Amino acid sequence: MSFPAGITRIFTANPNVPVLSFRLVNISKIDHFLPNQKLLYSDPSQSDPDARDFWFNMQALQLHLQREAEVNPQASYYNVGLFKYQVSSQDPGRAPLLLSAECQRSGTVTRVSLDYHCCPATAPSTQLTAVQVLLPLDHTATDLQCQPPASW
């Protein structure tokens, strides 16, 4: 999950920050998932086997975002890892997004290939748009080639 950098100022200025929560749905399609136990709470005894509610440990989230801001004060957003999950290798069609990444480096040339598509069985009813891939680079990249066309 990404948080805008300005969230740290909001958290600091407000001593009573409301608890952020969300619901994860279609969890029956996932064989195993592991929430970030430092940042998330959940009640595993919820009655719906296909959904689960989570809420943030707001103090831990604030500390995490403050550390991120100290490490990278120029960032416009901070990514926070919330889950690791596994789908069955016997039935890859259960994965909501099929992703394959490859990175090859030779001298001063780095080739990054990222292929993705929605699985037809679990695809959302609307088209996948505004996909964002973040690739931190140490130096300015030149001669960028994107297929299909993309903005960098």
Side-chain angles (χ1 to χ4, degrees):
M1 181 176 281
S2 293
F3 290 89
I7 196 80
T8 56
R9 289 189 302 276
I10 293 169
F11 286 163
T12 304
N14 186 349
N16 297 315
V17 178
V19 174
L20 300 175
S21 64
F22 61 94
R23 172 172 282 176
L24 190 62
V25 296
N26 296 324
I27 62 173
S28 63
K29 298 175 191 264
I30 298 173
D31 288 342
H32 303 285
F33 72 96
L34 179 64
N36 182 332
Q37 294 182 348
K38 293 178 183 177
L39 298 177
L40 293 176
Y41 296 120
S42 180
D43 179 3
S45 67
Q46 291 173 260
S47 60
D48 185 349
D50 202 32
R52 193 154 155 200
D53 295 322
F54 293 89
W55 56 97
F56 279 93
N57 173 337
M58 294 305 292
Q59 182 179 9
L61 177 62
Q62 290 174 35
L63 288 173
H64 180 81
L65 292 172
Q66 285 172 349
R67 274 188 248 126
E68 291 290 321
E70 291 168 3
V71 171
N72 193 358
Q74 302 304 322
S76 58
Y77 57 87
Y78 304 110
N79 292 326
V80 178
L82 299 182
F83 292 97
K84 292 181 181 181
Y85 67 93
Q86 176 181 346
V87 294
S88 172
S89 61
Q90 303 301 316
D91 187 10
R94 291 172 52 185
L97 184 67
L98 301 176
L99 177 70
S100 173
E102 180 181 357
C103 183
Q104 298 174 347
R105 188 171 204 166
S106 175
T108 60
V109 175
T110 301
R111 181 180 180 273
V112 176
S113 174
L114 178 69
D115 297 319
Y116 65 90
H117 66 276
C118 286
C119 178
T122 58
S125 58
T126 59
Q127 183 179 15
L128 181 64
T129 61
V131 174
Q132 296 183 11
V133 176
L134 306 176
L135 182 63
L137 301 172
D138 292 337
H139 304 289
T140 302
T142 59
D143 192 26
L144 300 173
Q145 299 174 14
C146 302
Q147 296 177 355
S151 60
W152 290 77

